[in-house]
Amino acid sequence: MKDIKHISVAIDGPSGVGKSTIAKLLSQELGFVYIDTGAMFRTLAVHVLDKNTRLSDCEQVERAIEDADIAVRYIGGTQHMLLNGEDVTDRLRTERVSAAASVISQYPKVRQTLLHLQRSIAEKEDVIMDGRDIGTVVLPDADVKIFLTAAPEIRAQRRFDQLKAAGKLEGALLEDILRDQQERDHRDSNREAAPLRAAEDAVLIDTSFLSADEVKTLICSEIRGIG
Ligand code: DC
C-alpha cells in the first residue's frame, strides 16, 4: 500500500510572538493536530528540576533525562504532557520552567530525544507544529513554513498578560519578563544545536500590529495555496 503523505505546517519564532495562539486557531479551522514542541522541552525541564540537576552542566542534564519517558496525549483536543506516566501539563508554564527549558534545550541529547517524538507524530497526522527549529531541522520538508516575529516589548506584554490571566505572575514585573525573555531569545538564537532561525523558504510575518485572527487568515491562505 502507498504511504499517505500528511500535510505539515511549521511555525517558528521567539517566545511570546503568538505561535501557540495562532497554531491553536489554525488547528481548529483546519482540523490538523497542534503539536506544541516547547511543551516537550518544558516537560524535560520539570524532570531535571525535580532531580535538582545543575542546569549549566550538560553531562549531568543529559544523564538526568535518561529515565524520562515523555508522551503526548490529547484530551478534549488539548495537548497534555505525560512525564513517566504522570500528567505534568499544569506545571509547565512558570518562569522557572521557561528559563530551565531554554537552558537545557541547548544540549544535543535533549534535542535528539525529542526529535524522534516530534517527527513520529508528524508522520501519522496532518499537523501544525510550533517551536524554534521546526522548519529548519524537525520538518525540513514541511509543506508550509512560517516564521513569526514581533517587537520584544510587545511580546513581553503578551506574556505578562497571559501569566496574569493564569494567576502565574508570581510577583513578576513587566521589566522582569522582558529581561528574562531577552536572555532566552539570546540563548535560543545563539546556541550551536538547532538555533532559532527562519528557514530560507519560510514566510515571515510580523505579528506586532496584527490580531491573531488576521495572522491566522494570512497563514490559511498560504496553506490553501499548496493545493
Ligand atoms: O515555546 P516555549 O516558550 O514553550 O519553549 C520553551 C523553550 O524550549 C524555549 O526557550 C526554547 C526551547 N525550544 C526549542 O529549543 N526548540 C523548540 N522546537 C521548541 C522549544
Side-chain angles (χ1 to χ4, degrees), residues 19 37-38 41-42 93 101-102 105 111 131-134 159 184 188 191:
K19 297 185 297 292
T37 62
F41 287 92
R42 287 169 183 269
R93 306 278 150 200
S102 173
S105 64
R111 307 205 68 81
R132 305 292 188 288
D133 61 338
I134 310 306
R159 187 67 96 195
R184 281 207 304 279
D188 296 347
R191 67 184 179 218

Side-chain angles (χ1 to χ4, degrees), residues 43 50 100:
T43 302
D50 283 352

